[in-house]
Amino acid sequence: MQTVHLKVDPDNPNPRIIEIAAALIREGETVAFPTETVYGVGANGLDEKAVQRVFKAKRRPLNNPLLMHVMSWEQASSLVTGIYEEVLLLINRFWPGPLTLVARANDLVPPLVTAGLSTVGLRMPDHRVALDLIKAAGVPVAATSANLSGRPSSTSARHVMKDLNGRIAGILNAGTTGWGIESTILDVTRTPFTILRPGAISRERLEEVLPGLIEAVRPQPEGGGRMRAAHYRPDAQVIPVKPGDNLAELAQAQAAKGKRVGVVVATHRELPTLTDLVVVINGGSAEYGRRLYEIFRMADSRRIEYLFMEIPEEKGLGAAVADRIYEAARR
Ligand code: AMP
Ligand code: MG
C-alpha cells in the first residue's frame, strides 16, 4: 500500500487537503493524524471492516480497545447511554482536550472498537487538524496511537512513517505534537469516577471541577488490576530510579560491566560517567512528559541495554510520567 503523505498547517489546515484524508476515512481506509498529545491512526468508527484495518496496520492485539474520536459532545453522546450529569461539567471544562471518558456504549459502536467491552472510550482532541478531519469525514473516528503495537507512541510524522509507512492509506503531517504524553483515561460509568490511566490532565485538575468525585489508580510497578496495554517499552531494560537512590552509582555499576547504559536525570546534579546516553530534564514533569517517547526512541537507536530513569514526584503530570516509566519497566 502506498501511504499518501499530506502536509498541513497545524493552525490553519487547507480544507482541500483535509478533504482528501476525510474521503479516505469515508472509503473505509486508515489515516494517521496529529492530536494535541501524540499522533493517532484511525478509521471510520462505525464501520467494522475499516476498524479492523487499524488493528492490522498496527499489529495490535484485538483485545486492546480503540478510542472513539469525536468533534463534539453531541457526536459523542450519540454513541453512549447512562451519562451522569457531572460528566457534562468535565466536558465543559476539558473538551476539546486530553481527557478520554469511558462510558457505556450503545449498539452503534462496533464490538471490535471496544474489544467486546460494554464500555467505550470517548475523546475530543484539541487539535485543529484532527477536529477538521473528523468533521469532514462526518463520522466518529476510531483511533489509537500511531505506532506499531508495543512501540512508543509517535510525536512526529517522521516517527509515524518509520512504523507505519506502507501500512496505512494516508497521513496528515502537521509537525510535532504538543503534550507528548497520552490522554488521561477516566471511567465515568460509576461514581466516584476512576482514573484508569494517568495522563495529560492531572488528577488535581479533575478534582478542581469535581471535588471528592475522582478516584486515582496509583501507578504501580506490577499493575493494579486495571487494563494495561503492551505499550511504552523501548528495547532497553528500563530501571525506575526513586529520588533517594543513587542514580550515578547504579548506572556506573552496569557501565563498568561493559553494558550500554543510558540515564535520564530529572533532579540529580551528579551526572554519571561512562554512559552512552545522558538526558537531563530541566523543565519539570511537563518537559519529561513531552520528551518521554523521544527518549525511548533515542535509547533504541543507540542500542541502550539498561535505561535508568528518575521517577519524578507523582503529582500533576508527574503521575502520568511515573506511570509510563513503570509501564516501560515491566517485562
Ligand atoms: P492508545 O490510544 O494506544 O493509548 O489505546 C487506548 C487505550 O485506552 C487502550 O489501550 C486501553 O487501555 C484504553 N481503553 C480504551 N477503551 C477502554 C475501555 N472501554 N475501558 C477501559 N480502557 C479503555
Ligand atoms: Mg498506544
Side-chain angles (χ1 to χ4, degrees):
M1 181 191 301
Q2 177 95 13
T3 303
V4 183
H5 198 111
L6 303 163
K7 259 207 142 114
V8 280
D9 181 336
D11 304 314
N12 191 19
N14 182 334
R16 276 191 296 224
I17 294 180
I18 294 287
E19 178 48 34
I20 297 171
L24 288 173
I25 296 280
R26 285 195 301 269
E27 287 158 17
E29 292 297 341
T30 50
V31 173
F33 57 91
T35 75
E36 79 281 31
T37 56
V38 298
Y39 269 78
V41 57
N44 181 349
L46 303 178
D47 173 350
E48 185 127 37
K49 269 220 177 84
V51 172
Q52 206 154 19
R53 293 202 169 108
V54 178
F55 284 93
K56 207 169 155 215
K58 284 192 58 165
R59 298 204 193 100
R60 184 177 176 92
L62 291 173
N63 63 4
N64 195 356
L66 306 183
L67 305 176
M68 281 291 207
H69 289 60
V70 295
M71 46 149 293
S72 65
W73 169 244
E74 197 184 6
Q75 189 176 40
S77 59
S78 74
L79 303 169
V80 292
T81 60
I83 291 293
Y84 286 91
E85 245 172 71
E86 289 83 354
V87 170
L88 299 179
L89 297 176
L90 294 174
I91 300 284
N92 262 335
R93 177 75 177 72
F94 297 112
W95 273 27
L99 176 65
T100 297
L101 300 171
V102 169
R104 263 172 233 302
N106 67 25
D107 293 345
L108 272 183
V109 180
L112 196 58
V113 173
T114 67
L117 296 172
S118 58
T119 55
V120 62
L122 304 168
R123 161 147 160 69
M124 180 175 170
D126 187 14
H127 197 295
R128 177 79 192 274
V129 173
L131 290 175
D132 283 6
L133 173 68
I134 302 165
K135 228 175 273 181
V139 288
V141 172
T144 164
S145 53
N147 49 273
L148 284 173
S149 192
R151 302 261 309 139
S153 302
S154 302
T155 48
S156 76
R158 196 168 47 82
H159 292 156
V160 177
M161 291 304 270
K162 200 167 165 222
D163 274 19
L164 300 178
N165 191 19
R167 307 182 63 83
I168 57 178
I171 176 169
L172 283 165
N173 175 358
T176 53
T177 55
W179 289 90
I181 209 148
E182 299 91 337
S183 64
T184 302
I185 302 184
L186 187 69
D187 180 345
V188 296
T189 58
R190 56 179 66 85
T191 53
F193 300 157
T194 310
I195 296 175
L196 300 179
R197 173 178 78 185
I201 305 274
S202 68
R203 177 193 179 166
E204 290 84 347
R205 290 186 65 200
L206 295 172
E207 287 204 313
E208 271 171 32
V209 177
L210 296 179
L213 249 187
I214 305 294
E215 195 163 90
V217 172
R218 296 215 59 73
Q220 292 161 4
E222 280 313 312
R226 75 184 172 95
M227 186 179 307
R228 277 177 180 274
H231 263 218
Y232 321 127
R233 273 170 228 175
D235 299 332
Q237 172 68 58
V238 170
I239 298 146
V241 179
K242 299 245 166 62
D245 300 343
N246 190 331
L247 175 113
E249 211 173 278
L250 288 168
Q252 265 148 221
Q254 288 300 335
K257 287 189 212 157
K259 301 289 183 195
R260 291 185 64 81
V261 171
V263 296
V264 183
V265 179
T267 60
H268 274 254
R269 308 240 143 195
E270 234 174 283
L271 293 183
T273 52
L274 294 174
T275 47
D276 299 288
L277 172 67
V278 178
V279 179
V280 181
I281 306 287
N282 288 316
S285 296
E287 182 192 332
Y288 210 152
R290 202 166 47 241
R291 295 182 61 190
L292 198 58
Y293 293 111
E294 171 207 321
I295 293 167
F296 286 167
R297 283 174 188 274
M298 217 161 20
D300 283 348
S301 70
R302 298 208 194 164
R303 292 174 289 108
I304 298 299
E305 294 167 281
Y306 291 91
L307 182 62
F308 292 87
M309 303 183 76
E310 259 195 291
I311 301 290
E313 198 187 352
E314 292 176 34
K315 275 202 331 217
L317 273 178
V321 173
D323 174 77
R324 302 303 186 276
I325 295 173
Y326 285 129
E327 184 68 30
R330 285 182 351 124
R331 285 276 147 172

